[in-house]
Amino acid sequence: MNKYDHKKIEKKWQQKWAEAGSFKTADDSTKEKQYILDMFPYPSGAGLHVGHVEGYTATDIYSRYKRAKGYNVLHPMGWDAFGLPAENYAIKTGTPPQRTTDESIANFKKQISHLGLSYDWSREFGTHNPEYYKWTQWLFAKFFEKGLVYKKKALVNWDPVDQTVLANEQVLADGTAERSGAKVEKKELEQWFFKITDYADELVDGLEPLDWPESTKINQRNWIGRSEGLIFTSPVKNTALTIDTFSAHFEAYCADTFVVIAPDHPFLPTLLDGLPDKEKILAQAKNIADKRSLTERGEVQEVEGIFTGRYTVDPVGNGELPIWIASYALAEYGTGIVKCSAHDERDFAFAKKYTIPLKVVLVPEDPAEQVAVKSFERCYADMKNGILLEPPTFAGKKAGDVRSEIIAYVSEREIAKAKTTYRLRDWLISRQRYWGAPIPIVYDPEGKAHAVPEEHLPWLLPTDVEYLPKGTSPLGTSKELFERTEKIFGKGWKPEVDTMDTFACSSWYFLRFADPHNTKEFASKKAMHYWLPVDLYLGGAEHTVLHLLYARFFTKVLRDMGYISFSEPFLKLRHQGIVLAEDSRKMSKRWGNVINPDDMVERFGADSVRLYEMFMGPLEAMKPWNTNNIMGVRRFLEHIWALAQTIKEDGGVESATEALLYQTIEKVTKDIEALKLNTAVSALMIYSNHLRTLKVVPTLAYKPFLQLLAPFAPHIACELAEQLGFTVDTWPVFDPLKAASSMVTIAVQINGKARATIKIPVDMPEQEALQQARSNPAIADWLTKGKEGKAVYVPGRIINFVLNT
RNA sequence: GCCGGGAUGAUGGAAUGGUAGACAUACAGGACUUAAAAUCCUGAGAGGAAUUAAACCCUCGUGAGAGUUCGAGUCUCUCUCCCGGCACCA
């Protein structure tokens, strides 16, 4: 009897798969396809993390399962290779990022190959390959032609550590940079933007039908922050000016008694024109704005303000309203100017502080509670349940019930216009860094921007640069780049020296996998039509906004340009949870608690590591690593190995085994479809435990089991199948007739408490079943303790007698 | 503050409104062994009563409290705590 030697058989099968090209995908459009994709990794120097292994194993199981079911499966892998760690390493050591990146990729690939993952490596690429970023640049140029890329001077997020600007999406809630952890500063710079706001509505509406985690959809909706409200336009007294104010909670508009404007509002100087105190007020406004930008984003700030000296004439008939500068008004949201009232917490606090008069037009339903509101003791801002007092048309009605009627009412009377605003800003993509795709723009001697024409793409990243960041792009130090530009375009032409945000590169890679070697197009329409959209997309939840939003934006733009015919790139999305260390903390070099997948594969084998990571718990849950527990799945595999050595030639399969086998087929199939892989492994264990109790294990009971096991532990399954003379590349067919056993054990309850079990035929008629239950000694005993009332019989499940006492 | 998600043995976790704790780990006892490891078998939510002992038996038990139901870990309401996201967004 031979022993289970994971090293030998895993090496053997990995070689076999590689040599046979077993997972190479054919564009066989006669077959139904499945496109199963992992979020491609950044190839960091630290190598593969057990968290990567979890996600990759899950999609691998899904892919192998779909192949066994007869689908044509596309399951590729590539590298999100541009990015700061390689560049920072270059600054420290002088090693070119190109070299570091390629070394890391080789290491990742080696680690992945040891796990027996069924990727089609013939489609591999990295976003740093010129053959790839040529098309990233080509797409940029197309966007530029369509006016979807533009350059503007803007107040942007500046990371003082990484010395580059960042997108809003890359700044955390506490005002620190997502990557470097540095406190982000505001700087006014001229930068390139993608016009993602053009698609704001569709990015919200398109979420609805997607099979995505609800929390991810909500995060995206919140980020886009669509809100419907009213714009009120009103003249400024003693001037020729008018101001627009935006209000999303306008139901109590009759209560407005003042107006606030953001301290950094560009309109402010104009508004103050002609006032004697203009300069003094502007200086104070600047003071307020500066103080605000210094405050931590997380901390609550004391409101501050100053009266401008101006009044608006309220279009609604609230008279003349004083205009104040207030620290809590944001220039970049809505119109940056707000009509204020007693029915907003911030307005209320502000008015109290500066003793601005207030007016109440909204009260709680409960008269007892109205007193405090009417006497301005507390702010009442419930725009849903509050009762309106004004205007007369809506007096006495619940504000929430008449919201749309108010919109109609004020629109008809031309008091205000309905308007939708968004929190989403355009996507800032310029980076003053080296290791990214160069922005394919050149400037003529007049300074006008032109896209680099297609024949000069890829617009290569120069190598003669100083990596050290000094607040301007390292590309500015490249002699080659400037010479190249003048040589091609003429004297006086200058290159753009910023590179693109790496998120631009990862916003379309899933399209490239459909046709990765195409030199004429970013991917052929035919290949994209067959393979896309992605059927299953798996990756970490940290990308709920950034990557997933950008990829959706690219997809919609390319659809509008006619390259693709679908609107959403990822039909089904799942997140894998974070794998914590054994001490339930995050894995970190600092804590010395990092689990290296290589060590685990070496000790226990790839099949055990794969099974264990699936068995840990639900895919999406955050869960701690426990090396002890791998022994459990390792033992399971050894049992399977031992069983195979004792298989006897086919006799029949007795009915209990057959029923359990078919129940297992059903359970494992459904669980894989739902990605409930922890319970699928458990079902396999239950079946294997059963086989171990048998004196004789017939091939008929063992072969389908190996087929079920194969996606999870492919090496051992292939090896045993080969030894026994069959293959595991098909999926067993579920037969409900064979899964059903004729007898069933059901619980008998008295008043909902289980008191006994009885074994009866599944289809036993109610009266007979009840009779049999009553004759059970324990139940009979209980039934003497009270008068039997109602009896509930759920066939195959339960009997419940209710006693009347 | 707002929006999500969660709380089940010593641990990871399982459970279409129907016998809570599947499966696994750790633990304890036993077998094998000179011994240990490995392996195999058995036990086990907490408590109680009873017994030579075990089983059977009884009470309680899924963060806390109420409710709906013949029956609630699961549904509804209130609360506590934990995790994630957003946060002067008018």
Side-chain angles (χ1 to χ4, degrees), chain A residues 58-93:
Chain A
T59 51
D60 191 59
I61 290 167
Y62 198 80
S63 299
R64 287 175 181 269
Y65 160 73
K66 287 289 183 186
R67 280 191 207 103
K69 288 274 260 185
Y71 287 91
N72 193 20
V73 171
L74 174 56
H75 186 43
M77 179 49 83
W79 315 103
D80 189 12
F82 278 132
L84 282 172
E87 182 168 352
N88 288 340
Y89 188 73
I91 292 162
K92 235 191 318 185
T93 66

Side-chain angles (χ1 to χ4, degrees), chain A residues 216-510:
Chain A
T216 302
K217 292 189 191 179
I218 288 168
N219 277 348
Q220 291 217 354
R221 281 192 203 106
N222 288 347
W223 185 261
I224 297 164
R226 176 163 72 185
S227 74
E228 277 135 30
L230 293 175
I231 295 266
F232 293 86
T233 304
S234 47
V236 180
K237 199 182 156 195
N238 298 333
T239 70
L241 304 166
T242 61
I243 54 167
D244 288 341
T245 60
F246 174 76
S247 180
H249 306 300
F250 49 76
E251 291 87 342
Y253 69 94
C254 290
D256 295 339
T257 52
F258 63 107
V259 169
V260 298
I261 181 168
D264 51 349
H265 202 292
F267 181 68
L268 193 53
T270 318
L271 180 68
L272 299 177
D273 265 346
L275 289 176
D277 288 344
K278 179 181 174 185
E279 292 312 319
K280 211 174 109 193
I281 295 171
L282 277 179
Q284 287 191 48
K286 188 174 182 313
N287 198 2
I288 292 172
D290 288 350
K291 219 192 252 176
R292 179 171 71 186
S293 71
L294 283 175
T295 341
E296 296 286 336
R297 236 161 95 179
E299 91 192 36
V300 190
Q301 199 194 345
E302 174 74 9
V303 286
E304 247 192 293
I306 172 175
F307 178 51
T308 58
R310 292 285 185 206
Y311 292 84
T312 65
V313 184
D314 189 42
V316 187
N318 289 318
E320 292 178 4
L321 309 181
I323 304 175
W324 285 71
I325 293 160
S327 61
Y328 65 92
L330 303 172
E332 61 272 19
Y333 184 78
T335 63
I337 310 175
V338 193
K339 288 218 297 169
C340 301
S341 76
H343 301 299
D344 178 281
E345 298 277 356
R346 293 153 306 172
D347 298 348
F348 186 85
F350 189 78
K352 284 255 162 179
K353 179 165 178 179
Y354 294 103
T355 54
I356 302 167
L358 291 171
K359 177 182 170 188
V360 167
V361 303
L362 186 80
V363 291
E365 244 181 314
D366 182 355
E369 286 178 47
Q370 288 179 7
V371 183
V373 173
K374 284 181 171 166
S375 61
F376 304 109
E377 267 168 54
R378 72 177 181 95
C379 171
Y380 184 71
D382 190 340
M383 296 295 168
K384 219 173 134 201
N385 302 310
I387 306 295
L388 285 168
L389 305 176
E390 284 183 45
T393 324
F394 300 110
K397 296 200 170 147
K398 251 191 194 179
D401 296 344
V402 293
R403 188 181 155 96
S404 53
E405 290 171 49
I406 294 174
I407 296 175
Y409 177 85
V410 297
S411 302
E412 274 165 31
R413 282 161 186 72
E414 293 181 1
I415 294 168
K417 285 199 303 273
K419 160 97 176 161
T420 305
T421 62
Y422 305 87
R423 210 188 76 114
L424 182 71
R425 299 273 85 90
D426 276 338
W427 171 17
L428 167 54
I429 54 153
S430 306
R431 295 291 180 275
Q432 289 72 46
R433 298 302 303 242
Y434 171 72
W435 191 229
I439 292 176
I441 290 283
V442 285
Y443 299 95
D444 63 25
E446 277 78 54
K448 188 168 181 290
H450 301 265
V452 175
E454 187 173 346
E455 68 259 34
H456 298 300
L457 298 180
W459 188 242
L460 288 171
L461 186 62
T463 49
D464 60 331
V465 298
E466 285 172 38
Y467 299 120
L468 208 65
K470 353 172 239 316
T472 56
S473 177
L475 266 55
T477 65
S478 166
K479 229 177 116 196
E480 187 272 319
L481 181 64
F482 280 79
E483 284 173 4
R484 185 204 308 168
T485 306
E486 290 214 324
K487 197 175 148 211
I488 294 174
F489 299 98
K491 199 134 178 60
W493 286 65
K494 287 197 169 59
E496 168 65 58
V497 292
D498 286 351
T499 52
M500 272 187 249
D501 181 0
T502 58
F503 279 104
C505 303
S506 58
S507 289
W508 70 280
Y509 79 105
F510 49 92

